[in-house]
Amino acid sequence: MVDMMESLIDACLGLSSLDILVSGRIVDVYGGNIFDGFVGVKNGLIAYVGRNPKPAKKIIDFSSGYILPAYIDGHIHVESSLMTPSMFARAVIPHGTCCVIADPHEIANVAGLDGIKFMMEDAERTPLKFYFMIPSSVPSTNLETTGAEIGLKEIEALKRFKRILGLGEVMNYRGVINKDRDILDKIRACEGMIIDGHAPGLRGDDLCAYTLAGIGSDHEVISLDEAREKLTLGMWIMIREGSTAKAISNLINVVSRGCPERVMFVTDDRHAGDILREGHMDHCLRRAVEEGLDPIDAVRMVTIKPAEYFRLESLGGLSPGKSADMVVVSDLREFRAKIVLIDGEVVAKDRKYLGAEVKVEKSFASLMESIKIGELRLDDLRIRHPRRKFGKTTARIIGLVEDQIVTEEIRQELRIVNGEVKADPARDILKICVVERHRGTGRVGKGFVMGFGLKSGALASTVAHDSHNIVVVGVDDRDIYRAILRIREINGGFVIVNNGLILGELPLPVAGLMTFLEASEIAEKTEMLEEAAAKLGCKIKNPFMALSFLSLPVIPKLKITDFGLIDAENLKIVNLFID
Amino acid sequence: MVDMMESLIDACLGLSSLDILVSGRIVDVYGGNIFDGFVGVKNGLIAYVGRNPKPAKKIIDFSSGYILPAYIDGHIHVESSLMTPSMFARAVIPHGTCCVIADPHEIANVAGLDGIKFMMEDAERTPLKFYFMIPSSVPSTNLETTGAEIGLKEIEALKRFKRILGLGEVMNYRGVINKDRDILDKIRACEGMIIDGHAPGLRGDDLCAYTLAGIGSDHEVISLDEAREKLTLGMWIMIREGSTAKAISNLINVVSRGCPERVMFVTDDRHAGDILREGHMDHCLRRAVEEGLDPIDAVRMVTIKPAEYFRLESLGGLSPGKSADMVVVSDLREFRAKIVLIDGEVVAKDRKYLGAEVKVEKSFASLMESIKIGELRLDDLRIRHPRRKFGKTTARIIGLVEDQIVTEEIRQELRIVNGEVKADPARDILKICVVERHRGTGRVGKGFVMGFGLKSGALASTVAHDSHNIVVVGVDDRDIYRAILRIREINGGFVIVNNGLILGELPLPVAGLMTFLEASEIAEKTEMLEEAAAKLGCKIKNPFMALSFLSLPVIPKLKITDFGLIDAENLKIVNLFID
């Protein structure tokens, strides 16, 4: 290591051979220029940038292509892809990504410190540079049973890992403004590190108070005014263009021409199928240029800008001494990656991953058997009226809003038959249950939901924000019960049942959240599940995603957890029946 | 401290009183906007930025004025002002400066670690935020006798101080490119810290090799092309506008409108009189706006940009949680500072310093008695021809070039009388001597110089780059001798002698480089010295500055040190006489 500098200088001056010499049009993210030249690699680092060819062991000649620094995603929950970090890496590297900053919020809610350690260990198996933020809101409320907690002790333990950059999105902005000891102590524990924010619509004095805690970014911004106000207070804006939320078209004008100060693109979540069809950060680049952004500015927002914000000094630009992480693309409109290098190794070519095969490691046994539902009888799923045997009752029903994570509260009359209230598929009133699956308490939250359209059968899933208990929607208790039991058999995942038969499933054995399958297999299986659901009458394109947000008690208006129905605006449990 | 965040949040939300509320037009260096609003201060930090007035113990109302973050000078040798850090602070704070990054290269050459410690201790006596870079080239050559050395041991000792940010300008760029162990080891010792550069005119492959060492900035750039090439390699450009070198008019176009990426202003050196007459960073702002730069961009280049480069996260912008360091100016053309706050204290008002009186501390006794010239006789100053008693000889004569630090080599015939060669004021050929003053060796370098124009008398100085031996120019040996002895009596400084009488002097008792006087006193005395020199026939406006560069052996062409005449192009000692 002492002689690293000497070795680079020799290769730069042509006194020894470079490992690789790449020729093409170099995109300079510092000065904002493009010039024909050469990038030389030695020992995994950039040893030369300039106009003169140099002796090299290997020549990569893309004279008509553009050489860019490889891309960085500044905020993503990898679990949303259903892939483990190492499998996620295989999917995104061919699209030019060299680094992601992941918030392992989902697995932390299931498996705490062990879950995060799994993510960090699995990340070691890939050339993709994974960094992690410590989830700040585990659990996010006391309105559900969570699998674990990330408190001060866990934060202290995690801070010591070099892959940890700071505290993940501080969603509890109300807590910060109210000076809740709990969240402020977590922030204090991460002093000097990066503190990411999450404060949709927060403005004015409250926003000012929020930034006083040292929170440096926000990816929840949706309006230009809000973005500008946040920039003025020194925050970084993460323009989110993921599988769910898409903000590029709204926010693109926050970037002054030639100057994307403190602005970057992130995805937040990215599904396997979308990565295959559209890509990852290259999709953000494509969308941004479509919206009229200068291509070099766009490139800056996925390279040098996130590197600056996260203080990743070896990443983000093609300059001497940095990691040799680069992408060659054929144009600055489609950004189709011809070749991707990470640490000077060719890791993808023509959209094909060339890195070493990932050896699936099933360590972390506890993560692989995470479904603990205790004893559950069919009878436990019945919804009984607390007082009456027959007649009618009015129920609070969750009203699904397609493509949104908010819900409505709908009030409908339902019949009581022999003390029980059932689903009414004719009116699209289905039954929904959340079964606690972390501690085997046997606790089940029960209610009704409108909007799925199922005529028969049941859909169950262990991907259910934030605690990832089992959420199941269905017409008939037997199918609901069967789906729950199947979920247990496969250690979590997605299941569709009809008349007692398993119509389809996608096992997610890692904490009930992720699989070791490849993106293409996941996409294929997800499509099959969607088709199966559609055959049962489901009118939602992506029913498992819709399902996953129905248990999220921090988003209005009516949600359900294992504790029962939740008034998410007032953060309290409410009765199913109004009368 | 645990409750600091809570206290700021309370004040931000109006639940408790702010210490100070400043109203005016807020210059937002992040988003590049200006808006009418309020900046609230609590516990020395910015607790509020926004449009709503808040309860405060003290109101500063400058509604028609502009509130800017206070200024940062990213590269200065404070010694050049002849003031100690604490006195320098009194001079620049009223001009809006809150922070300087100083390279104590001059005092380090005289007094090493002790000299730098003196600077750091003296810096504690002022609200100005002093940071220091470790001088990388002490000594800069082996062609002179220096007072001290900054080697790896000293670097390790200095790194531990919180005011030390990294390694100062790496002037030995040839050494870096040639992989000289000595300089590369110093750079390695500062890994992870800031490494400043100094590479005038370095381009192409050599520049690339230089940046491989991790050198992040350059303040020696003079052409636009050079600046752009350096930016492309990821370097920061420090546009220098000091008392000596002025680059704003050449380089201003390197800044794209609305986007001064990786560009800042620095002064490098700033004389007391210039600070009084023109100012400090406010002068850079004025000059930049005169040259057509957008005022907000200019402000960025003395605030957020240096803060980013030096990773000074609490400085550079008016955003919640940062140090309450701000300047209110009446317009964005003159940038005349109405009021200056540092850490929430009003430290200057209407160009008057309001900070606490600096108590002159004469600790560091060795620094105060730094002139050790051993035994020196008048006879030691004579220049004898090595071979002949009478006749003529041809001498290499240093040709002064006014306002430049380069010199010419002039060859002239001189008469030998009784074995001795003397000055010939009729032809403006004066005698120049450099007397070693660190170790009492009695070593004297002797030669001739053209360009001063003195008709009689002698000028002596202990400010003589880089080693700061005594440099003296004069007509007559007796006056030269008298001047040297006077220098010793006053512990260093500037002296003018004529016919044995002291015509004027400015004692610089701190290492022979600095005084405890105020800027105005220094300016006054310097002017008197210039007048006295002019009366002796001196045709150079600033003879002591001219003198100070004649001993700098790294700048072409012919220089003089205590070792004798130096061919500064080939870095070797040459004979005075050619025949």
PDB file of all heavy atoms in Angstrom, chain A residues 327-352:
ATOM      1  N   VAL A 327     -19.068   3.742 -16.510  1.00  0.00           N
ATOM      2  CA  VAL A 327     -20.018   3.177 -17.463  1.00  0.00           C
ATOM      3  C   VAL A 327     -19.709   3.782 -18.807  1.00  0.00           C
ATOM      4  O   VAL A 327     -19.493   4.991 -18.891  1.00  0.00           O
ATOM      5  CB  VAL A 327     -21.463   3.632 -17.140  1.00  0.00           C
ATOM      6  CG1 VAL A 327     -22.462   2.750 -17.849  1.00  0.00           C
ATOM      7  CG2 VAL A 327     -21.709   3.709 -15.667  1.00  0.00           C
ATOM      8  N   VAL A 328     -19.732   2.968 -19.853  1.00  0.00           N
ATOM      9  CA  VAL A 328     -19.685   3.535 -21.198  1.00  0.00           C
ATOM     10  C   VAL A 328     -21.077   3.393 -21.798  1.00  0.00           C
ATOM     11  O   VAL A 328     -21.658   2.301 -21.794  1.00  0.00           O
ATOM     12  CB  VAL A 328     -18.651   2.831 -22.092  1.00  0.00           C
ATOM     13  CG1 VAL A 328     -18.604   3.492 -23.468  1.00  0.00           C
ATOM     14  CG2 VAL A 328     -17.276   2.869 -21.448  1.00  0.00           C
ATOM     15  N   VAL A 329     -21.630   4.504 -22.257  1.00  0.00           N
ATOM     16  CA  VAL A 329     -22.966   4.474 -22.873  1.00  0.00           C
ATOM     17  C   VAL A 329     -22.842   4.960 -24.315  1.00  0.00           C
ATOM     18  O   VAL A 329     -21.915   5.688 -24.656  1.00  0.00           O
ATOM     19  CB  VAL A 329     -23.974   5.361 -22.104  1.00  0.00           C
ATOM     20  CG1 VAL A 329     -24.146   4.874 -20.678  1.00  0.00           C
ATOM     21  CG2 VAL A 329     -23.561   6.826 -22.125  1.00  0.00           C
ATOM     22  N   SER A 330     -23.792   4.527 -25.137  1.00  0.00           N
ATOM     23  CA  SER A 330     -23.655   4.876 -26.549  1.00  0.00           C
ATOM     24  C   SER A 330     -24.173   6.286 -26.843  1.00  0.00           C
ATOM     25  O   SER A 330     -23.760   6.904 -27.809  1.00  0.00           O
ATOM     26  CB  SER A 330     -24.363   3.834 -27.418  1.00  0.00           C
ATOM     27  OG  SER A 330     -25.594   3.498 -26.847  1.00  0.00           O
ATOM     28  N   ASP A 331     -25.083   6.780 -26.013  1.00  0.00           N
ATOM     29  CA  ASP A 331     -25.523   8.164 -26.209  1.00  0.00           C
ATOM     30  C   ASP A 331     -26.014   8.712 -24.881  1.00  0.00           C
ATOM     31  O   ASP A 331     -26.146   7.973 -23.902  1.00  0.00           O
ATOM     32  CB  ASP A 331     -26.623   8.247 -27.277  1.00  0.00           C
ATOM     33  CG  ASP A 331     -27.849   7.454 -26.879  1.00  0.00           C
ATOM     34  OD1 ASP A 331     -28.420   7.721 -25.812  1.00  0.00           O
ATOM     35  OD2 ASP A 331     -28.228   6.527 -27.633  1.00  0.00           O
ATOM     36  N   LEU A 332     -26.303  10.018 -24.849  1.00  0.00           N
ATOM     37  CA  LEU A 332     -26.735  10.654 -23.608  1.00  0.00           C
ATOM     38  C   LEU A 332     -28.243  10.907 -23.635  1.00  0.00           C
ATOM     39  O   LEU A 332     -28.743  11.897 -23.108  1.00  0.00           O
ATOM     40  CB  LEU A 332     -25.957  11.953 -23.371  1.00  0.00           C
ATOM     41  CG  LEU A 332     -24.429  11.792 -23.246  1.00  0.00           C
ATOM     42  CD1 LEU A 332     -23.765  13.135 -22.962  1.00  0.00           C
ATOM     43  CD2 LEU A 332     -24.063  10.797 -22.148  1.00  0.00           C
ATOM     44  N   ARG A 333     -28.968  10.000 -24.299  1.00  0.00           N
ATOM     45  CA  ARG A 333     -30.414  10.095 -24.326  1.00  0.00           C
ATOM     46  C   ARG A 333     -30.997   8.793 -23.774  1.00  0.00           C
ATOM     47  O   ARG A 333     -31.791   8.781 -22.864  1.00  0.00           O
ATOM     48  CB  ARG A 333     -30.878  10.328 -25.759  1.00  0.00           C
ATOM     49  CG  ARG A 333     -32.217  10.992 -25.913  1.00  0.00           C
ATOM     50  CD  ARG A 333     -32.372  11.544 -27.342  1.00  0.00           C
ATOM     51  NE  ARG A 333     -31.620  10.732 -28.306  1.00  0.00           N
ATOM     52  CZ  ARG A 333     -32.068   9.625 -28.913  1.00  0.00           C
ATOM     53  NH1 ARG A 333     -33.291   9.209 -28.693  1.00  0.00           N
ATOM     54  NH2 ARG A 333     -31.316   8.940 -29.758  1.00  0.00           N
ATOM     55  N   GLU A 334     -30.512   7.674 -24.374  1.00  0.00           N
ATOM     56  CA  GLU A 334     -30.960   6.355 -23.899  1.00  0.00           C
ATOM     57  C   GLU A 334     -30.101   5.846 -22.732  1.00  0.00           C
ATOM     58  O   GLU A 334     -30.551   5.029 -21.951  1.00  0.00           O
ATOM     59  CB  GLU A 334     -30.894   5.349 -25.056  1.00  0.00           C
ATOM     60  CG  GLU A 334     -31.953   5.578 -26.123  1.00  0.00           C
ATOM     61  CD  GLU A 334     -33.362   5.402 -25.565  1.00  0.00           C
ATOM     62  OE1 GLU A 334     -33.573   4.508 -24.728  1.00  0.00           O
ATOM     63  OE2 GLU A 334     -34.247   6.197 -25.954  1.00  0.00           O
ATOM     64  N   PHE A 335     -28.867   6.315 -22.659  1.00  0.00           N
ATOM     65  CA  PHE A 335     -27.937   5.895 -21.605  1.00  0.00           C
ATOM     66  C   PHE A 335     -27.822   4.374 -21.505  1.00  0.00           C
ATOM     67  O   PHE A 335     -27.715   3.827 -20.419  1.00  0.00           O
ATOM     68  CB  PHE A 335     -28.358   6.476 -20.247  1.00  0.00           C
ATOM     69  CG  PHE A 335     -28.175   7.965 -20.146  1.00  0.00           C
ATOM     70  CD1 PHE A 335     -29.227   8.837 -20.409  1.00  0.00           C
ATOM     71  CD2 PHE A 335     -26.940   8.495 -19.813  1.00  0.00           C
ATOM     72  CE1 PHE A 335     -29.049  10.211 -20.321  1.00  0.00           C
ATOM     73  CE2 PHE A 335     -26.761   9.874 -19.713  1.00  0.00           C
ATOM     74  CZ  PHE A 335     -27.823  10.729 -19.978  1.00  0.00           C
ATOM     75  N   ARG A 336     -27.899   3.707 -22.643  1.00  0.00           N
ATOM     76  CA  ARG A 336     -27.776   2.254 -22.627  1.00  0.00           C
ATOM     77  C   ARG A 336     -26.327   1.871 -22.326  1.00  0.00           C
ATOM     78  O   ARG A 336     -25.415   2.247 -23.044  1.00  0.00           O
ATOM     79  CB  ARG A 336     -28.200   1.699 -23.989  1.00  0.00           C
ATOM     80  CG  ARG A 336     -28.777   0.318 -23.897  1.00  0.00           C
ATOM     81  CD  ARG A 336     -29.240  -0.272 -25.204  1.00  0.00           C
ATOM     82  NE  ARG A 336     -29.266  -1.711 -25.041  1.00  0.00           N
ATOM     83  CZ  ARG A 336     -30.272  -2.362 -24.469  1.00  0.00           C
ATOM     84  NH1 ARG A 336     -31.338  -1.712 -24.062  1.00  0.00           N
ATOM     85  NH2 ARG A 336     -30.202  -3.672 -24.300  1.00  0.00           N
ATOM     86  N   ALA A 337     -26.135   1.114 -21.247  1.00  0.00           N
ATOM     87  CA  ALA A 337     -24.780   0.789 -20.804  1.00  0.00           C
ATOM     88  C   ALA A 337     -24.156  -0.267 -21.705  1.00  0.00           C
ATOM     89  O   ALA A 337     -24.692  -1.360 -21.857  1.00  0.00           O
ATOM     90  CB  ALA A 337     -24.812   0.301 -19.364  1.00  0.00           C
ATOM     91  N   LYS A 338     -23.033   0.054 -22.335  1.00  0.00           N
ATOM     92  CA  LYS A 338     -22.302  -0.914 -23.150  1.00  0.00           C
ATOM     93  C   LYS A 338     -21.389  -1.740 -22.260  1.00  0.00           C
ATOM     94  O   LYS A 338     -21.203  -2.924 -22.469  1.00  0.00           O
ATOM     95  CB  LYS A 338     -21.430  -0.189 -24.193  1.00  0.00           C
ATOM     96  CG  LYS A 338     -22.119   0.874 -25.028  1.00  0.00           C
ATOM     97  CD  LYS A 338     -23.103   0.282 -25.999  1.00  0.00           C
ATOM     98  CE  LYS A 338     -22.353  -0.431 -27.130  1.00  0.00           C
ATOM     99  NZ  LYS A 338     -23.336  -1.089 -28.028  1.00  0.00           N
ATOM    100  N   ILE A 339     -20.790  -1.088 -21.312  1.00  0.00           N
ATOM    101  CA  ILE A 339     -19.834  -1.782 -20.450  1.00  0.00           C
ATOM    102  C   ILE A 339     -19.788  -1.055 -19.108  1.00  0.00           C
ATOM    103  O   ILE A 339     -19.946   0.156 -19.056  1.00  0.00           O
ATOM    104  CB  ILE A 339     -18.452  -1.844 -21.145  1.00  0.00           C
ATOM    105  CG1 ILE A 339     -17.549  -2.893 -20.497  1.00  0.00           C
ATOM    106  CG2 ILE A 339     -17.760  -0.498 -21.155  1.00  0.00           C
ATOM    107  CD1 ILE A 339     -16.393  -3.297 -21.392  1.00  0.00           C
ATOM    108  N   VAL A 340     -19.644  -1.832 -18.041  1.00  0.00           N
ATOM    109  CA  VAL A 340     -19.600  -1.238 -16.699  1.00  0.00           C
ATOM    110  C   VAL A 340     -18.356  -1.760 -15.982  1.00  0.00           C
ATOM    111  O   VAL A 340     -18.096  -2.970 -15.979  1.00  0.00           O
ATOM    112  CB  VAL A 340     -20.859  -1.617 -15.875  1.00  0.00           C
ATOM    113  CG1 VAL A 340     -20.835  -0.937 -14.511  1.00  0.00           C
ATOM    114  CG2 VAL A 340     -22.138  -1.263 -16.638  1.00  0.00           C
ATOM    115  N   LEU A 341     -17.594  -0.848 -15.408  1.00  0.00           N
ATOM    116  CA  LEU A 341     -16.419  -1.240 -14.610  1.00  0.00           C
ATOM    117  C   LEU A 341     -16.634  -0.810 -13.165  1.00  0.00           C
ATOM    118  O   LEU A 341     -17.112   0.305 -12.900  1.00  0.00           O
ATOM    119  CB  LEU A 341     -15.149  -0.563 -15.115  1.00  0.00           C
ATOM    120  CG  LEU A 341     -14.513  -1.114 -16.390  1.00  0.00           C
ATOM    121  CD1 LEU A 341     -15.144  -0.460 -17.607  1.00  0.00           C
ATOM    122  CD2 LEU A 341     -13.013  -0.888 -16.384  1.00  0.00           C
ATOM    123  N   ILE A 342     -16.306  -1.699 -12.236  1.00  0.00           N
ATOM    124  CA  ILE A 342     -16.273  -1.320 -10.822  1.00  0.00           C
ATOM    125  C   ILE A 342     -14.919  -1.722 -10.273  1.00  0.00           C
ATOM    126  O   ILE A 342     -14.462  -2.850 -10.496  1.00  0.00           O
ATOM    127  CB  ILE A 342     -17.415  -1.987 -10.022  1.00  0.00           C
ATOM    128  CG1 ILE A 342     -18.782  -1.489 -10.537  1.00  0.00           C
ATOM    129  CG2 ILE A 342     -17.275  -1.683  -8.531  1.00  0.00           C
ATOM    130  CD1 ILE A 342     -19.977  -2.038  -9.774  1.00  0.00           C
ATOM    131  N   ASP A 343     -14.262  -0.788  -9.605  1.00  0.00           N
ATOM    132  CA  ASP A 343     -12.895  -1.015  -9.110  1.00  0.00           C
ATOM    133  C   ASP A 343     -12.004  -1.558 -10.216  1.00  0.00           C
ATOM    134  O   ASP A 343     -11.154  -2.435  -9.979  1.00  0.00           O
ATOM    135  CB  ASP A 343     -12.913  -1.972  -7.906  1.00  0.00           C
ATOM    136  CG  ASP A 343     -13.560  -1.328  -6.680  1.00  0.00           C
ATOM    137  OD1 ASP A 343     -13.440  -0.096  -6.521  1.00  0.00           O
ATOM    138  OD2 ASP A 343     -14.197  -2.048  -5.896  1.00  0.00           O
ATOM    139  N   GLY A 344     -12.198  -1.079 -11.413  1.00  0.00           N
ATOM    140  CA  GLY A 344     -11.339  -1.462 -12.531  1.00  0.00           C
ATOM    141  C   GLY A 344     -11.627  -2.823 -13.126  1.00  0.00           C
ATOM    142  O   GLY A 344     -10.912  -3.261 -14.029  1.00  0.00           O
ATOM    143  N   GLU A 345     -12.652  -3.512 -12.651  1.00  0.00           N
ATOM    144  CA  GLU A 345     -13.022  -4.808 -13.226  1.00  0.00           C
ATOM    145  C   GLU A 345     -14.241  -4.614 -14.123  1.00  0.00           C
ATOM    146  O   GLU A 345     -15.182  -3.900 -13.747  1.00  0.00           O
ATOM    147  CB  GLU A 345     -13.418  -5.804 -12.123  1.00  0.00           C
ATOM    148  CG  GLU A 345     -12.324  -6.120 -11.122  1.00  0.00           C
ATOM    149  CD  GLU A 345     -11.247  -7.031 -11.713  1.00  0.00           C
ATOM    150  OE1 GLU A 345     -11.567  -7.811 -12.630  1.00  0.00           O
ATOM    151  OE2 GLU A 345     -10.082  -6.920 -11.262  1.00  0.00           O
ATOM    152  N   VAL A 346     -14.223  -5.291 -15.268  1.00  0.00           N
ATOM    153  CA  VAL A 346     -15.401  -5.253 -16.134  1.00  0.00           C
ATOM    154  C   VAL A 346     -16.462  -6.152 -15.496  1.00  0.00           C
ATOM    155  O   VAL A 346     -16.297  -7.366 -15.435  1.00  0.00           O
ATOM    156  CB  VAL A 346     -15.068  -5.732 -17.551  1.00  0.00           C
ATOM    157  CG1 VAL A 346     -16.329  -5.737 -18.413  1.00  0.00           C
ATOM    158  CG2 VAL A 346     -14.007  -4.827 -18.168  1.00  0.00           C
ATOM    159  N   VAL A 347     -17.530  -5.562 -14.988  1.00  0.00           N
ATOM    160  CA  VAL A 347     -18.540  -6.337 -14.256  1.00  0.00           C
ATOM    161  C   VAL A 347     -19.824  -6.517 -15.063  1.00  0.00           C
ATOM    162  O   VAL A 347     -20.684  -7.319 -14.689  1.00  0.00           O
ATOM    163  CB  VAL A 347     -18.862  -5.692 -12.889  1.00  0.00           C
ATOM    164  CG1 VAL A 347     -17.727  -5.941 -11.908  1.00  0.00           C
ATOM    165  CG2 VAL A 347     -19.141  -4.195 -13.039  1.00  0.00           C
ATOM    166  N   ALA A 348     -19.957  -5.797 -16.175  1.00  0.00           N
ATOM    167  CA  ALA A 348     -21.124  -6.007 -17.036  1.00  0.00           C
ATOM    168  C   ALA A 348     -20.786  -5.542 -18.441  1.00  0.00           C
ATOM    169  O   ALA A 348     -19.975  -4.643 -18.644  1.00  0.00           O
ATOM    170  CB  ALA A 348     -22.330  -5.250 -16.507  1.00  0.00           C
ATOM    171  N   LYS A 349     -21.426  -6.207 -19.392  1.00  0.00           N
ATOM    172  CA  LYS A 349     -21.205  -5.872 -20.794  1.00  0.00           C
ATOM    173  C   LYS A 349     -22.526  -6.089 -21.510  1.00  0.00           C
ATOM    174  O   LYS A 349     -23.159  -7.133 -21.319  1.00  0.00           O
ATOM    175  CB  LYS A 349     -20.125  -6.809 -21.352  1.00  0.00           C
ATOM    176  CG  LYS A 349     -19.311  -6.178 -22.460  1.00  0.00           C
ATOM    177  CD  LYS A 349     -18.087  -7.017 -22.767  1.00  0.00           C
ATOM    178  CE  LYS A 349     -17.464  -6.520 -24.062  1.00  0.00           C
ATOM    179  NZ  LYS A 349     -16.254  -7.242 -24.407  1.00  0.00           N
ATOM    180  N   ASP A 350     -22.940  -5.109 -22.282  1.00  0.00           N
ATOM    181  CA  ASP A 350     -24.195  -5.211 -23.033  1.00  0.00           C
ATOM    182  C   ASP A 350     -25.339  -5.743 -22.169  1.00  0.00           C
ATOM    183  O   ASP A 350     -26.025  -6.694 -22.547  1.00  0.00           O
ATOM    184  CB  ASP A 350     -24.011  -6.093 -24.272  1.00  0.00           C
ATOM    185  CG  ASP A 350     -23.073  -5.431 -25.267  1.00  0.00           C
ATOM    186  OD1 ASP A 350     -23.126  -4.185 -25.383  1.00  0.00           O
ATOM    187  OD2 ASP A 350     -22.264  -6.138 -25.894  1.00  0.00           O
ATOM    188  N   ARG A 351     -25.495  -5.161 -21.019  1.00  0.00           N
ATOM    189  CA  ARG A 351     -26.585  -5.486 -20.087  1.00  0.00           C
ATOM    190  C   ARG A 351     -26.458  -6.859 -19.437  1.00  0.00           C
ATOM    191  O   ARG A 351     -27.378  -7.331 -18.787  1.00  0.00           O
ATOM    192  CB  ARG A 351     -27.960  -5.399 -20.785  1.00  0.00           C
ATOM    193  CG  ARG A 351     -28.403  -3.992 -21.098  1.00  0.00           C
ATOM    194  CD  ARG A 351     -29.077  -3.366 -19.886  1.00  0.00           C
ATOM    195  NE  ARG A 351     -29.286  -1.936 -20.081  1.00  0.00           N
ATOM    196  CZ  ARG A 351     -30.386  -1.392 -20.571  1.00  0.00           C
ATOM    197  NH1 ARG A 351     -31.405  -2.169 -20.875  1.00  0.00           N
ATOM    198  NH2 ARG A 351     -30.486  -0.092 -20.721  1.00  0.00           N
ATOM    199  N   LYS A 352     -25.333  -7.516 -19.628  1.00  0.00           N
ATOM    200  CA  LYS A 352     -25.107  -8.831 -19.003  1.00  0.00           C
ATOM    201  C   LYS A 352     -24.169  -8.676 -17.830  1.00  0.00           C
ATOM    202  O   LYS A 352     -23.098  -8.097 -17.949  1.00  0.00           O
ATOM    203  CB  LYS A 352     -24.449  -9.767 -20.038  1.00  0.00           C
ATOM    204  CG  LYS A 352     -25.368 -10.734 -20.705  1.00  0.00           C
ATOM    205  CD  LYS A 352     -24.578 -11.995 -21.087  1.00  0.00           C
ATOM    206  CE  LYS A 352     -25.421 -13.227 -21.166  1.00  0.00           C
ATOM    207  NZ  LYS A 352     -26.069 -13.340 -22.470  1.00  0.00           N
TER     208      LYS A 352
END
